[in-house]
Amino acid sequence: MSILDGKAGDRRLYMGNECIARGALEAGVSVAAGYPGTPSSEIIETLAKAAKQAGIYVEWSANEKVSLEVAAAASFAGLRSMCVMKQNGVNVASDFLLHLAGSGTRGGMVLVPCDDPGALSSVNEGEARHFARLVEIPLLEPGDFQEAKEMTQWAFELSEELRTLVMLRSVTRLSHASGNITLGDIPPQTRQARFVHGGFILDPMEGPVMSAPVTYKHGQQQDRIRRAAEIFETSPFNTYTGPESPELLLITSSACNLYSKEAIHLLNVQDRVGLLKLGTTWPLPEKLVARHLAAAKAVLVVEEILPFTEENVKVLAQEISGETGYRKFYGKRDGTIPSTGELSPDIVAGALAKVLGVTYEAVDPNYKAKANQYAFFGAPNRDLTFCPGCPHRASFWNIHNVLAADGREGFVCGDIGCYSMAVLPSGFSTLKTLHAMGSGTGVASGFGKLAPFGMDQPVMSVCGDSTFFHAALPALVNAVHHKSDITMAILDNSGTGMTGFQSHPGLATDAMGNEVPSIDIAGVCQALGAEVRIADPFDIQDTQAVLHELLETKKGVKVLILRQICALSPQKKGKKSFDMEVDADLCRGEDCGCNRLCTRIFRCPGLVWDAENKRSVIDEVICAGCGVCASICPAGAIKKKEIAKVA
Amino acid sequence: MTGIAKDPYNVIITGVGGQGNVLASRMLGNLLSDQGLFVTIGETFGASQRGGSVMSHLRVSRTSAWSPQIPLGQADLVVSLEPIEAVRVLAQYGNPGIKVLVNSRSIQPVGCISGETAYPPMDDIRKWVAELSAQSWFVDATNAAVKLGHAIFGNVMMVGALSATHELPIEREAFGRAMEAAMGPEKAKKNLQAFDMGAAMVAEAA
């Protein structure tokens, strides 16, 4: 069912990200751009699927900064535009973001970052909302599914009224949760794009668009923020439920609104606690918050990660303390609410119980003790691992074995993608540094210049094909230019695998399904002056031979493109290349000198150990038929039979 | 409207990344939402699911949305696409009144494949689940699905099995209509067959 289906009043079960996409469509958005990243990806995906029918333009940009620039251009031309990314994407976009806040916008423009408290699918707990305060743009945080749609729609109006970019921040537990909403209508596209630039230099609507003269424009932006605060005072997205003068005022926003409601319900303390849910978290609607502070005896701020709202409210409480007197605060600064990890109804209930002096026991302790005991002994952990048939398992098998055979304590610097899991035993613990997109190659570029200080270890980096264009390219340029001795492996699986096969500049189809020029990674690397080789990681022998040669004989920057389509890609999914079988007579089991190389070390979920018969065996349901394990068995016991050619 | 035993009624669908947990929870959520019930689903996906334990939380209510995370100890029903995942979920969200439906086909964690940990005997798992729940059903959905043509039908069988527990208002006809709308009459027929096979398995297991 398309996101465009349905009219005002229709009821739907939508994922939070779909609510945001629908809200943008109901606001008449014309252009949307972003870079994939969990938990944000479905917003652009949903819009991209509907783009042709809706008559809008949607793209997966090369990175987040470019996506913000692309969306900004539409705003400068008078259209409504949206830009979407995950939390750390805002860091990438932040240089342009700062200047965009200064220059102001024209058509309504909304930036949607989706944060990931608890790092459920991230390697950081970064928060985008601090950027709203840092660059001084209004910040909205939906507190449920209906609000996710309605606040998105309103964000465009607010942006147009104030002529500033507006940030609408979501989190994993909203973006990736689903709930029922009531739809509104989607207006037809009527706006014409025209960039008016011939007016007076200080004219925000007709002059050139820039953040200079800086202090003048900065002052204008601060005026807009003061007007935003005034508008927020009467926003219907700030709600209060509870007694007139509560014993405790609980201030919250975002998904924490749902946790807080549930916690109050669990403890049955509706008559003691007032819940102030803020939808407009920065700038604070100060008069509204002040009224509630005055009516309450104490305050608990419930939010995820750093004490953002807590600090803002505390500053306000200090400023009005002459009239209201002292207010006791509970939150992160006093340890009532943790400052790391995501919150939950239980964490909020625990905090509330402590502050109110009531007891809350979720489960009968006898049941809990028994269940814990069974789970401890009976539910062995599931470490994350590459999917069966994943090219990365083969790539890291090759890299790991070549570096081990090389014997000079070589290592690999990594970055963000499914291949980040190569820090784990499932990737043979091959990655030794792991940071931001493209950072593997940047860090390697630095390591590669340390020979004068005695460093003689081979230096490698890995990045994915989408990551190559996102941020590895400048690092590669840097390494070539400075003659850094590194070997960069580009794990080219023909798509943005981790987030669901979004298009990138290396592919021939864009987000909307149009044919586009694909940029050849090998050609780019060659043009930059790197020594380039291409191998299929499933061909274990060839890949290892090529990598050995690159490490041993070549100086400067070497690029090894390991090309094999992701096992989950729509082209490949469900189709096996080989029927796999372990010949039980040839498998020597525990007596083999290999020490169970296939299962103890290779660790593919599709190749399991039959403890009863002490032999390896293929799990037919799991095996993806890639055939790689046949190459690793020293006894030749793992047999592959070709069944289908996958392009 | 067919009833729910409690408001909100809390369901956890659990399994291993790649088993189709998210699709199963969406399928179930839509069936319930179409009857006018408020459904809230909480789940995680992305890299966090690669071979790891995954959970979807479904809250079913007559009145409103709820937190996308079920509070500890508050699940009413667990649908487990893999046996040990049922045990894992019970330790966090179980209580003596809980009911559990399990697909008895195991998926070995890599730690078991490598020999660092051991997968427990199925008889033990059955005993633990029975002891920690008010009622439990073990059905061999994956193996039946493989016989039907593809392991992917296993989750549809689990939905069919769930309907036969009568814990949630899931109607066969509504399921058939949803399948037909999503994938056409040909595939819908096969899925309805899987649905019926699942329902029959619960009748046998009971």
Side-chain angles (χ1 to χ4, degrees):
Chain A
M1 191 182 292
S2 163
I3 194 78
L4 299 170
D5 293 345
K7 55 181 192 312
D10 286 356
R11 192 168 168 276
R12 288 283 188 279
L13 178 63
Y14 272 173
M15 191 198 289
N17 280 344
E18 293 173 313
C19 297
I20 293 169
R22 176 77 191 198
L25 288 165
E26 290 182 10
V29 73
S30 299
V31 170
Y35 184 83
T38 315
S40 72
S41 310
E42 296 80 7
I43 300 172
I44 292 290
E45 262 178 2
T46 303
L47 291 172
K49 272 186 209 141
K52 283 183 179 164
Q53 198 189 335
I56 62 175
Y57 175 75
V58 183
E59 75 168 38
W60 285 121
S61 307
N63 66 29
E64 293 87 351
K65 177 169 174 279
V66 176
S67 74
L68 193 63
E69 290 155 352
V70 165
S75 166
F76 299 159
L79 303 178
R80 287 190 167 183
S81 70
M82 183 159 82
C83 183
V84 184
M85 57 195 62
K86 75 178 288 174
Q87 73 274 9
N88 42 312
V90 183
N91 297 44
V92 176
S94 62
D95 195 3
F96 181 68
L97 178 62
L98 174 65
H99 293 91
L100 182 60
S103 78
T105 52
R106 290 182 182 173
M109 181 173 175
V110 181
L111 169 63
V112 182
C114 301
D115 289 0
D116 189 20
L120 299 169
S121 195
S122 303
V123 293
N124 66 78
E125 283 195 297
E127 275 188 90
R129 53 190 186 149
H130 301 275
F131 277 103
R133 190 168 60 181
L134 186 67
V135 306
E136 297 170 281
I137 55 172
L139 169 64
L140 310 179
E141 294 187 72
D144 63 30
F145 305 98
Q146 189 72 36
E147 281 193 357
K149 181 182 81 72
E150 283 172 15
M151 288 178 78
T152 304
Q153 198 176 354
W154 180 57
F156 287 93
E157 286 163 33
L158 182 69
S159 168
E160 241 159 56
E161 186 174 345
L162 297 172
R163 302 297 171 191
T164 178
L165 177 67
V166 171
M167 179 186 285
L168 179 118
R169 179 240 193 189
S170 181
V171 294
T172 301
R173 293 296 183 181
L174 194 59
S175 279
H176 277 179
S178 303
N180 291 101
I181 64 161
T182 306
L183 303 182
D185 283 322
I186 297 175
Q189 288 284 322
T190 53
R191 292 195 191 197
Q192 292 293 310
R194 177 124 209 108
F195 180 41
V196 182
H197 51 70
F200 176 54
I201 194 160
L202 297 180
D203 186 330
M205 295 307 287
E206 296 192 350
V209 183
M210 57 184 177
S211 56
V214 173
T215 52
Y216 171 76
K217 289 284 178 81
H218 194 183
Q220 279 198 323
Q221 184 60 10
Q222 292 181 343
D223 285 342
R224 294 185 191 116
I225 287 300
R226 275 186 281 277
R227 278 167 55 210
E230 279 305 312
I231 294 168
F232 289 173
E233 293 290 352
T234 55
S235 164
F237 300 116
N238 300 320
T239 59
Y240 178 80
T241 33
E244 225 167 273
S245 297
E247 189 181 328
L248 182 72
L249 176 68
L250 192 162
I251 303 179
T252 192
S253 62
S254 193
C256 295
N257 171 48
L258 296 167
Y259 306 155
S260 299
K261 275 187 183 171
E262 183 116 26
I264 291 169
H265 171 81
L266 286 172
L267 267 58
N268 200 17
V269 288
Q270 292 85 344
D271 56 339
R272 297 175 67 184
V273 179
L275 179 68
L276 177 61
K277 192 277 293 179
L278 293 177
T280 67
T281 33
W282 198 86
L284 272 184
E286 295 190 349
K287 294 184 198 103
L288 172 86
V289 176
R291 278 199 305 277
H292 288 286
L293 286 177
K297 292 189 187 68
V299 183
L300 169 67
V301 184
V302 177
E303 61 190 319
E304 287 174 311
I305 317 297
L306 295 179
F308 178 80
T309 296
E310 180 180 337
E311 287 177 0
N312 292 337
V313 174
K314 275 179 172 167
V315 169
L316 175 67
Q318 200 283 333
E319 287 172 355
I320 61 169
S321 61
E323 298 108 74
T324 59
Y326 169 77
R327 286 288 175 276
K328 170 74 182 160
F329 270 82
Y330 301 95
K332 294 179 188 284
R333 301 270 304 171
D334 74 335
T336 305
I337 301 280
S339 296
T340 61
E342 65 168 344
L343 298 186
S344 66
D346 297 280
I347 292 172
V348 181
L352 261 184
K354 193 172 130 196
V355 171
L356 295 174
V358 298
T359 51
Y360 172 65
E361 199 167 66
V363 201
D364 169 49
N366 291 327
Y367 179 94
K368 182 88 190 145
K370 197 160 65 175
N372 275 339
Q373 191 196 342
Y374 293 156
F376 181 79
F377 292 108
N381 277 338
R382 282 191 194 276
D383 292 335
L384 295 185
T385 181
F386 295 117
C387 303
C390 176
H392 296 328
R393 179 180 291 99
S395 292
F396 286 108
W397 177 262
N398 293 320
I399 294 170
H400 173 80
N401 287 343
V402 168
L403 286 176
D406 177 89
R408 289 178 289 168
E409 289 183 29
F411 57 93
V412 186
C413 303
D415 62 28
I416 306 304
C418 285
Y419 51 91
S420 299
M421 284 192 291
V423 295
L424 304 172
S426 297
F428 321 108
S429 308
T430 310
L431 289 191
K432 299 304 181 188
T433 74
L434 173 59
H435 300 87
M437 296 278 289
S439 289
T441 304
V443 170
S445 172
F447 273 125
K449 293 306 293 178
L450 299 183
F453 303 95
M455 195 164 134
D456 56 1
Q457 298 157 280
V459 179
M460 285 193 69
S461 72
V462 289
C463 80
D465 41 338
S466 190
T467 310
F468 175 79
F469 295 104
H470 177 284
L473 200 42
L476 175 62
V477 167
N478 191 71
V480 172
H481 180 64
H482 292 102
K483 292 192 191 172
S484 185
D485 289 327
I486 66 167
T487 303
M488 176 189 193
I490 300 174
L491 310 176
D492 182 358
N493 60 4
S494 300
T496 317
M498 187 162 84
T499 47
F501 308 103
Q502 292 81 6
S503 61
H504 65 63
L507 302 176
T509 311
D510 70 7
M512 300 190 293
N514 297 314
E515 240 179 78
V516 284
S518 63
I519 294 159
D520 174 35
I521 295 176
V524 169
C525 295
Q526 253 151 11
L528 291 176
E531 169 89 22
V532 180
R533 299 294 183 82
I534 300 169
D536 175 1
F538 284 178
D539 188 336
I540 303 272
Q541 231 176 354
D542 177 60
T543 301
Q544 295 195 7
V546 171
L547 184 54
H548 258 302
E549 187 205 325
L550 289 176
L551 287 182
E552 276 172 19
T553 59
K554 301 276 196 295
K555 281 267 171 208
V557 175
K558 296 137 301 186
V559 172
L560 174 60
I561 300 174
L562 293 173
R563 198 174 277 166
Q564 180 61 245
I565 300 172
C566 171
L568 299 181
S569 87
Q571 288 155 279
K572 225 184 205 183
K573 198 175 180 181
K575 285 186 216 130
K576 294 185 180 187
S577 295
F578 299 99
D579 261 336
M580 304 303 297
E581 198 187 352
V582 179
D583 186 327
D585 295 330
L586 288 179
C587 176
R588 298 182 202 135
E590 279 176 339
D591 299 331
C592 181
C594 78
N595 191 16
R596 283 180 54 194
L597 186 71
C598 56
T599 47
R600 200 176 60 80
I601 308 292
F602 191 64
R603 303 162 79 109
C604 174
L607 180 60
V608 301
W609 180 249
D610 178 353
E612 211 169 296
N613 297 311
K614 300 204 184 308
R615 291 286 182 274
S616 287
V617 58
I618 300 290
D619 185 331
E620 285 296 338
V621 173
I622 311 286
C623 175
C626 71
V628 172
C629 57
S631 314
I632 66 162
C633 175
I638 306 176
K639 303 286 186 193
K640 62 180 188 185
K641 197 174 85 190
E642 194 159 350
I643 45 177
K645 265 267 178 271
V646 179
Chain B
M1 187 195 299
T2 341
I4 40 174
K6 198 173 136 273
D7 202 329
Y9 187 85
N10 298 327
V11 185
I12 295 179
I13 301 180
T14 185
V16 181
Q19 275 195 296
N21 215 78
V22 171
L23 283 177
S25 71
R26 283 227 139 185
M27 189 197 299
L28 184 57
N30 278 318
L31 285 173
L32 296 166
S33 169
D34 286 347
Q35 300 181 40
L37 291 163
F38 285 84
V39 177
T40 315
I41 310 174
E43 53 208 342
T44 56
F45 41 97
S48 57
Q49 69 160 16
R50 306 285 190 237
S53 304
V54 290
M55 258 194 295
S56 299
H57 289 195
L58 264 87
R59 323 283 308 265
V60 191
S61 169
R62 291 184 200 88
T63 56
S64 68
W66 287 81
S67 153
Q69 295 188 64
I70 295 170
L72 298 173
Q74 302 275 326
D76 299 301
L77 174 70
V78 176
V79 179
S80 190
L81 306 180
E82 204 282 346
I84 59 169
E85 295 313 311
V87 182
R88 202 187 312 279
V89 164
L90 286 171
Q92 277 192 289
Y93 297 95
N95 56 75
I98 200 166
K99 299 184 178 178
V100 188
L101 172 65
V102 184
N103 181 352
S104 59
R105 174 61 146 82
S106 64
I107 294 177
Q108 299 273 319
V110 283
C112 296
I113 292 174
S114 68
E116 288 147 34
T117 52
Y119 199 95
M122 198 57 64
D123 286 346
D124 285 359
I125 300 176
R126 283 175 186 271
K127 197 189 81 190
W128 297 331
V129 170
E131 208 178 311
L132 293 172
S133 63
Q135 197 173 0
S136 61
W137 303 267
F138 279 71
V139 297
D140 195 5
T142 303
N143 288 335
V146 170
K147 279 181 203 141
L148 190 64
H150 202 289
I152 204 84
F153 292 118
N155 290 351
V156 173
M157 287 185 191
M158 291 300 283
V159 174
L162 181 58
S163 79
T165 66
H166 302 297
E167 284 298 307
L168 282 169
I170 304 166
E171 288 162 20
R172 182 182 183 278
E173 286 66 35
F175 172 81
R177 279 196 303 275
M179 284 293 122
E180 199 160 323
M183 50 183 69
E186 194 73 7
K187 285 185 176 170
K189 210 174 139 195
K190 191 108 178 187
N191 277 283
L192 212 49
Q193 193 188 345
F195 183 95
D196 291 339
M197 285 168 72
M201 283 189 252
V202 155
E204 285 160 30

